[in-house]
Amino acid sequence: MEEEENPLEREHTLAVVLPGGLEKMATVHGSKPVMDLLVTLCAQYHLNPSDFTMEIQSANRNDISFKPSTLIGAMEPHRILLKPKGGEEKIKRPYMPEFTVRLLINYKKNHKAVVRVNPRVPLEQLLAAVCEKCEFALESTILLSANDSEGPLNLSRSLDDYGLRELYAKDIAEAPVETPPLPSKEQKQKEKENRGLFGLFRRIKKKPEKVLCFTLPQLSFTIVRKRCVRSRF
């Protein structure tokens, strides 16, 4: 009798059931560990190994117990099922890039910023990205259209709803312009004194100026013009 070939040293043809029920055939060497087979199959069918587990069945479709290091040839399986962890709802779908547009943000008078966003989602989902770009506080920021006469935009609506690709961001909690401090008591007193002196000077200026004229032997001089009072010594 011919000696039977060691199952660990030969190829095994297996049925592989992919997520969704599609069945493929695969040839696996008996010396390959179960975990290596999982990685190989996931790479072949563009799946993430961390999201899937394997069920291994015999020819009569009974489940076979195994460890990650168990060799395929030691079990002589006939069927392998790839199943997503946590149920069918977690099956990875082909990656579809999110549709985004270029949004121009105006803020702080002449400042501008650009961010790419999804125009179909509510504005409340874009507010965090806008605030990060403008360095505004999330809880006190409002969004306005170019003509802000209608007030803040409704955050439950989207850019597409408004037909906008440009908007204004405003932080309503920004500190107001500082007003000059009120004058102290000393400053008030000083200003009062200055006003008093100024009034006194004005009154003195309005009075007619007196003129003193002095006549000395062979000498005559005038101190101030206008009225003249003669004195003789």
Side-chain angles (χ1 to χ4, degrees):
M1 294 180 62
E2 293 183 359
E3 185 177 352
E4 186 177 352
E5 187 178 1
N6 187 342
L8 298 178
E9 298 177 354
R10 65 179 175 84
E11 301 284 346
H12 296 261
T13 301
L14 310 173
V16 179
V17 181
L18 301 174
L22 182 63
E23 187 169 312
K24 298 282 187 177
M25 299 304 295
T27 301
V28 185
H29 196 271
S31 63
K32 183 181 283 292
V34 171
M35 183 55 65
D36 289 357
L37 177 58
L38 174 63
V39 173
T40 300
L41 291 175
C42 287
Q44 182 176 351
Y45 297 108
H46 309 289
L47 303 173
N48 188 343
S50 62
D51 293 334
F52 292 88
T53 60
M54 285 199 312
E55 288 184 6
I56 300 178
Q57 296 178 345
S58 63
N60 55 8
R61 299 201 173 187
N62 291 327
D63 291 339
I64 300 175
S65 299
F66 61 90
K67 296 179 179 180
S69 59
T70 302
L71 303 181
I72 295 297
M75 298 179 291
E76 295 193 68
H78 285 257
R79 197 162 181 260
I80 293 177
L81 294 85
L82 287 177
K83 292 192 172 183
K85 293 180 180 178
E88 293 293 328
E89 68 275 5
K90 290 192 175 181
I91 296 176
K92 293 292 183 181
R93 304 299 178 189
Y95 173 73
M96 296 293 292
E98 183 183 28
F99 173 69
T100 60
V101 296
R102 182 177 178 271
L103 175 64
L104 177 62
I105 308 167
N106 299 278
Y107 66 104
K108 291 183 179 179
K109 293 185 179 179
N110 298 325
H111 289 70
K112 295 181 182 292
V114 176
V115 63
R116 294 202 69 86
V117 296
N118 186 340
R120 300 167 182 167
V121 301
L123 291 174
E124 60 187 354
Q125 296 185 26
L126 310 181
L127 190 58
V130 172
C131 291
E132 181 181 359
K133 205 74 174 177
C134 303
E135 298 182 352
F136 283 170
L138 182 64
E139 62 276 5
S140 58
T141 298
I142 60 174
L143 302 179
L144 307 163
S145 63
N147 180 9
D148 61 354
S149 59
E150 299 180 0
L153 298 175
N154 185 343
L155 297 184
S156 64
R157 300 181 64 184
S158 68
L159 289 174
D160 278 357
D161 292 337
Y162 283 109
L164 295 176
R165 293 297 182 266
E166 178 181 1
L167 51 75
Y168 289 79
K170 182 179 181 181
D171 189 348
I172 58 177
E174 284 187 339
V177 178
E178 294 185 0
T179 56
L182 295 174
S184 62
K185 291 182 178 180
E186 293 79 4
Q187 289 175 322
K188 288 182 177 180
Q189 183 62 29
K190 188 173 181 180
E191 290 176 359
K192 186 176 180 181
E193 292 174 357
N194 290 339
R195 287 196 297 268
L197 290 173
F198 180 70
L200 178 61
F201 289 146
R202 292 184 63 184
R203 288 195 298 273
I204 292 174
K205 187 175 180 181
K206 289 181 180 180
K207 288 183 178 181
E209 298 179 357
K210 295 182 178 182
V211 179
L212 295 178
C213 298
F214 298 90
T215 303
L216 295 177
Q218 298 181 353
L219 179 62
S220 177
F221 62 92
T222 302
I223 296 179
V224 183
R225 299 178 62 184
K226 291 187 181 177
R227 276 187 186 172
C228 183
V229 179
R230 296 180 178 275
S231 299
R232 187 177 299 277
F233 297 90

